[in-house]
């Protein structure tokens, strides 16, 4: 496929460029703060950059009728409204976490949350010290899935790609469910899976969970 | 209820005696290697002792028509055959682990095992240094649930009541599901739950999972 | 020895009463909110209750010329001043944590802190949901040992007796040092060790670390 | 410096080539099974390949009078004898683990091992599923430092760069000391540090620990 990357010089952007290129896809639109490379019309645009970039990304999607895979975290309500509008015209995958493991864990939590409703519950997330948002988008996803008032502890440590743990405990026992991203590459691989998924969708706003579910059927 | 405890002087036996008594049940049959206290006919006999004791326990169940809650680990095929025979006459709960948390985890593993079939998988179990069997009965339960060739690592450390971890990993991510028993009391509480469960069953061989399932409905 | 326990009906108080009695020491002064048992003059008074109780405890120490082992957490400056005054007359051991393991870890942290000064550092402490103070006294001990601006994350989960973890990380690696109290009994055993330690001291304010150091020589 | 890499196409070899080149050093000798690039005489040769390659590596060191940084694991006694012989002529750094964190942990273990001699102790090491040797060289280093009969559990999981944990426990508490390599790059960075260290040494057999010690002074 012909693809575009927003923030292609950043950590995630360059990984995405790398993973897509190695899978024989063609980068035709590369954008960063100080550089724009526009060679052709992309079928899909991948944006794992910052909320500030979103408006321009949406303009590009409309200009080229490109589908969108968006992994930017710390989005606000106004951003979700923009995405919903765009999704009437092109297909979008939006997720705070593009790893298969996290999405399996979200599925588990949905199922066990009710049985464990009387157990205490807390969340810990650990990321590299350069991550700006707190808590992580994934921790927010987990909290929303649990749908109760649960405390999130955010650690910022060295070069950790991303750990998330959920703890449930009563007087006599403790359950811990933990996910560790071994390298940030796992999110680029998930973005590629998402790009392939929406290639044959017309429009609509999808999540990474929809992809996992389609795969499980 | 009137209850009996096999191995009532041991670690688990004395906890069971304690937990049942505090819930206002009456110990009427207390047996250990060097002492037998037989005051009345027990409705339920609880045995968390050793495989060697099983034959005598079964004789007592037949003599008194008592139901049986058995938590002994390291049972062999011959023991299961004895239990199956007995279960035609009285109701039995047999489980290698009487904690709610472990049984929830077994349920989770059953569900995610298929999606994760291509991920590497290993198990770690840690128990106090006085535990004789290796691997733990619970680790065997977990392995059987996963139904694949997975390595179990057994650590024997100080006074740890019982930790179990299952790891799944591929090139890019790791999922860890861990259970920690905070005190051995949790198993005595589970045994009490099991005893109440079979009080109104005529016969049959049940597991702790059946109890969890009934509770979830 | 003849000993006294302040808050002898509480979780820690009753454990202390139990551990000291089993080691053949004689409880001669037992105090709780609604009950006072005063049989004889105690050689040592053990107080693991609340800061509010301290003033009365000090009066008792003065009245009986008793030594003091104090494990109460969340003490304020005023309390430390009271203890210092008392320590001119009788020997005192004051510590926020009476476990050997924690004190070994404090010793390790003192040694490695300098080499790791450019690594990120954070602390997690987890305790049972009934613990009132946040962060734990032990986490404060750890933070003071590290002597830098480090974040402490406090989790309150079910019946956890007490976990403490210190994380150091740079871009390429992570060091984790964790302590787990397996049961609260470990602190009662430490209190007994402390009581024996000050029996032959005239006066002065000691910490549990002084005891570990004496033992290591 | 002018450097050589043995196994430059492998995982570690290509990382070493990358890290040294980015630090402005010049690769002049690159060797793998099916390719030999020999442009100039290297000041240092870096070998993180397999024990089988060692003999040829030693020949190259003798031919070029190159210093040697060797990180190959699973070396046998015969290999150490070869290294000792070579070290009379050129300076060598040999270590099973080139991370700063692991070497700090080895230092800690040396110090606390005696106090904890009556505590149970076990080791867990986890590496990616392609690692061939079991237990890891680092686990062997740890075991040798502890100098007692301690069990090592080896897990092989997905893409884990390398985790090592040491557990000490008695009846009442547990100490865990864990190291996690966040990416394999950390070992290449350590190799670069080692190469700089021996540049101005004439001969002798050094370990990575000697480097840490020199740095601490």
């Amino acid at each position: 496929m012909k693809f575009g990357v927003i923030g292609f010089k950043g950590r995630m952007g360059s990984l995405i460029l790398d993973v897509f290129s190695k899978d024989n896809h063609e980068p035709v639109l590369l954008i960063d703060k100080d550089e724009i490379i526009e060679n052709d019309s992309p079928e899909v645009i991948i944006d794992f950059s910052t909320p500030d970039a979103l408006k321009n990304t949406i303009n590009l999607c409309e200009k080229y009728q490109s589908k969108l895979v968006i992994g930017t975290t710390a989005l606000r309500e106004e951003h979700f409204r923009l995405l919903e509008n765009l999704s009437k015209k092109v297909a979008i995958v939006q997720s705070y976490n593009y790893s298969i493991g996290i999405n399996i864990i979200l599925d588990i939590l949905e199922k066990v949350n009710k049985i464990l409703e009387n157990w205490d519950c807390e969340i810990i997330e650990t990321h590299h010290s350069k991550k700006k948002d707190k808590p992580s988008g994934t921790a927010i996803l987990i909290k929303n899935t649990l749908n109760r008032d649960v405390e999130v502890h955010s650690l910022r440590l060295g070069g950790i790609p991303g750990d998330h743990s959920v703890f449930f405990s009563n007087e006599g026992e403790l359950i811990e469910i933990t996910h560790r991203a071994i390298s940030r590459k796992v999110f680029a691989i998930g973005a590629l899976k998402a790009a392939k998924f929406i290639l044959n969708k017309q429009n609509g706003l999808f999540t990474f969970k929809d992809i996992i579910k389609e795969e499980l059927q």
Side-chain angles (χ1 to χ4, degrees), chain A:
Chain A
M1 74 184 88
K2 290 175 182 173
F3 68 98
V5 182
I6 312 302
F8 76 101
K9 292 180 173 174
R11 273 169 187 257
M12 270 310 299
S14 56
L15 270 174
I16 287 163
L17 183 52
D18 191 46
V19 163
F20 276 63
S21 300
K22 280 197 178 137
D23 199 49
N24 296 316
H25 304 289
E26 191 190 347
V28 296
L29 176 75
L30 295 173
I31 295 194
D32 215 306
K33 272 175 217 158
D34 55 351
E35 197 174 350
I36 296 179
I37 303 171
E38 238 175 321
N39 289 334
D40 198 346
S41 165
E43 294 162 86
V44 186
I45 292 176
I46 324 297
D47 183 355
F48 276 62
S49 66
T50 62
D52 304 340
L54 184 61
K55 222 162 180 175
N56 188 45
T57 298
I58 284 178
N59 290 341
L60 289 163
C61 287
E62 285 176 335
K63 177 177 169 190
Y64 290 117
Q65 285 296 305
S66 307
K67 277 131 196 194
L68 175 62
V69 173
I70 179 149
T72 306
T73 55
L75 295 180
R76 290 182 299 278
E77 237 193 283
E78 63 203 79
H79 299 120
F80 282 105
R81 240 174 296 131
L82 290 171
L83 289 173
E84 256 164 59
N85 272 333
L86 179 66
S87 73
K88 288 166 196 160
K89 295 176 231 160
V90 304
I92 303 176
V93 177
Q94 184 278 327
S95 177
Y96 277 166
N97 192 305
Y98 280 82
S99 86
I100 299 170
I102 279 293
N103 284 278
I104 289 172
I105 286 176
L106 291 175
D107 201 60
I108 291 173
L109 293 177
E110 227 169 63
K111 274 167 189 145
V112 300
N113 195 30
K114 188 150 172 37
I115 324 174
L116 297 170
E117 66 186 346
N118 293 320
W119 296 41
D120 296 331
C121 178
E122 303 211 23
I123 298 167
I124 296 178
E125 57 99 349
T126 309
H127 283 84
H128 54 95
S129 54
K130 276 158 200 152
K131 184 170 180 64
K132 284 163 208 153
D133 50 323
K134 244 187 197 192
S136 68
T138 304
I140 294 170
L141 270 180
I142 292 172
K143 193 175 169 170
N144 290 346
T145 301
L146 294 173
N147 195 23
R148 51 167 140 169
D149 188 29
V150 50
E151 215 175 318
V152 179
H153 304 271
S154 296
L155 283 75
R156 293 293 169 263
L157 285 170
I160 304 288
D163 294 354
H164 291 86
S165 295
V166 187
F167 299 89
F168 297 96
S169 183
N170 65 12
E171 190 58 29
E173 39 189 334
L174 175 84
I175 294 173
E176 173 187 345
I177 300 175
T178 285
H179 181 267
R180 194 208 290 190
I182 293 173
S183 86
R184 254 158 271 169
K185 209 176 146 181
V186 73
F187 307 120
I189 293 168
L192 177 58
K193 189 191 278 280
K196 288 175 178 175
F197 171 86
I198 45 165
L199 261 192
N200 62 351
K201 302 271 184 283
Q202 285 302 319
N203 53 23
L205 186 50
F206 301 91
T207 67
F208 198 74
K209 234 172 148 176
D210 296 318
I211 304 174
I212 298 283
K213 273 184 188 156
E214 203 182 78
E215 204 156 86
L216 287 181
Q217 279 163 359

